[in-house]
Amino acid sequence: MVFLDRNSNKKIYQVLTNIVGLSSSNSHHICKKFGFQKECTLKNLDSLDFEQLRNYLMNNFFLEKLLRDQISKNVKKKIDLGIYQGKRHNLGYPVRGQRTLSNGKTQKKLNKFRFYYASELFTHTFFKNQRKSKNSKKLARLKKQKEDKQKKQEQQKVYRNQMMVNNSIRKNIKNKEKEKEDKAAYLKKLEKIKAERKNQLHNKFIKAHKEAQKTHPYFLNIMKANNKKKQKKK
């Protein structure tokens, strides 16, 4: 609502130019439209003219708080969209392509007036939360990358362990097969040695038996007895 003091002694033209959102040309146009003279004050207006003036201002112009809120919303929209002008607003630099070498310092000083408007959109907490949201997104992304990396490492570890187990199982199977083959070869070799030893003993026994038949007294007496029997028969 436009604040107009009905009991003020100020001139209408001066009051209108002091209102935020009205320029001197607009004030002159309004005075000419309603037929107000330059020396006319708000105190000289009757109630009908005063209401008409106030309604006209409220219906045709964005003034005071409404104008400030609208500008604040426009600036916030540009910042949220992430366009060039929004970034310049956020940093406190000139928005319309001016150089920053000479007037950047002044703009930085005037940055607080840029966000002077009574709105919660441009308080310190807004920008703090905005930075916090960026940091939280970055931290969430890094956390996710870390979790993915850990998950991948765990999967690789499980795969390596599984491969090691499989290799150990294969190795054990190969060792058992090799042991069986070695045992079979050993038994075969042992049987061959036993057979050779048996043949050697048999040949040795036969040789010793033949020599004993020629030299041992037992066999000599038998041979003598046999010869005597043959002679008696003749």
Side-chain angles (χ1 to χ4, degrees), residues 95-189:
V95 178
R96 297 175 184 172
Q98 299 95 322
R99 53 188 287 141
T100 55
L101 181 65
S102 58
N103 66 345
K105 295 176 183 178
T106 308
Q107 284 296 321
K108 279 188 176 181
K109 289 177 184 177
L110 296 175
N111 184 37
K112 57 185 179 180
F113 297 105
R114 189 180 299 182
F115 304 122
Y116 162 76
Y117 311 108
S119 175
E120 295 179 356
L121 302 174
F122 298 100
T123 56
H124 175 69
T125 54
F126 169 74
F127 293 109
K128 190 176 180 181
N129 293 332
Q130 198 178 34
R131 288 193 296 272
K132 194 183 289 184
S133 64
K134 287 181 181 178
N135 291 333
S136 62
K137 287 178 182 177
K138 189 175 180 180
L139 289 172
R141 189 173 67 255
L142 292 173
K143 189 176 179 182
K144 189 177 180 183
Q145 289 177 358
K146 191 175 181 181
E147 289 176 355
D148 293 340
K149 191 176 180 181
Q150 288 178 353
K151 193 175 180 182
K152 193 174 180 181
Q153 288 177 353
E154 288 176 359
Q155 288 176 353
Q156 289 177 353
K157 192 175 180 180
V158 170
Y159 178 73
R160 284 197 212 98
N161 292 332
Q162 193 173 1
M163 290 294 292
M164 286 174 69
V165 170
N166 293 336
N167 290 332
S168 63
I169 291 169
R170 290 196 196 101
K171 197 172 181 180
N172 291 332
I173 291 168
K174 285 181 180 179
N175 290 333
K176 287 180 180 179
E177 289 177 354
K178 192 175 181 182
E179 286 177 2
K180 286 181 181 179
E181 290 175 358
D182 292 341
K183 192 174 182 180
Y186 173 74
L187 292 172
K188 192 175 180 181
K189 191 175 181 181

Side-chain angles (χ1 to χ4, degrees), residues 53-80:
L53 177 61
R54 191 175 68 172
N55 291 332
Y56 179 78
L57 293 175
M58 289 175 64
N59 294 329
N60 295 290
F61 297 98
F62 287 102
L63 304 174
E64 298 288 343
K65 188 179 179 182
L66 292 174
L67 180 62
R68 287 169 180 162
D69 290 341
Q70 188 183 16
I71 294 172
S72 298
K73 287 177 182 177
N74 291 336
V75 174
K76 181 189 178 296
K77 186 178 179 182
K78 290 179 180 179
I79 292 173
D80 290 339

Side-chain angles (χ1 to χ4, degrees), residues 188-204:
K188 192 175 180 181
K189 191 175 181 181
L190 187 63
E191 287 176 358
K192 189 177 179 181
I193 291 168
K194 284 181 179 180
E196 289 177 355
R197 183 66 176 166
K198 192 175 180 180
N199 291 330
Q200 287 177 1
L201 290 172
H202 184 66
N203 293 329
K204 192 175 181 181

Side-chain angles (χ1 to χ4, degrees), residues 5 7-11 41-43:
D5 188 5
N7 298 321
S8 176
N9 290 322
K10 291 183 179 180
K11 297 176 183 179
T41 61
L42 289 173
K43 195 174 183 180

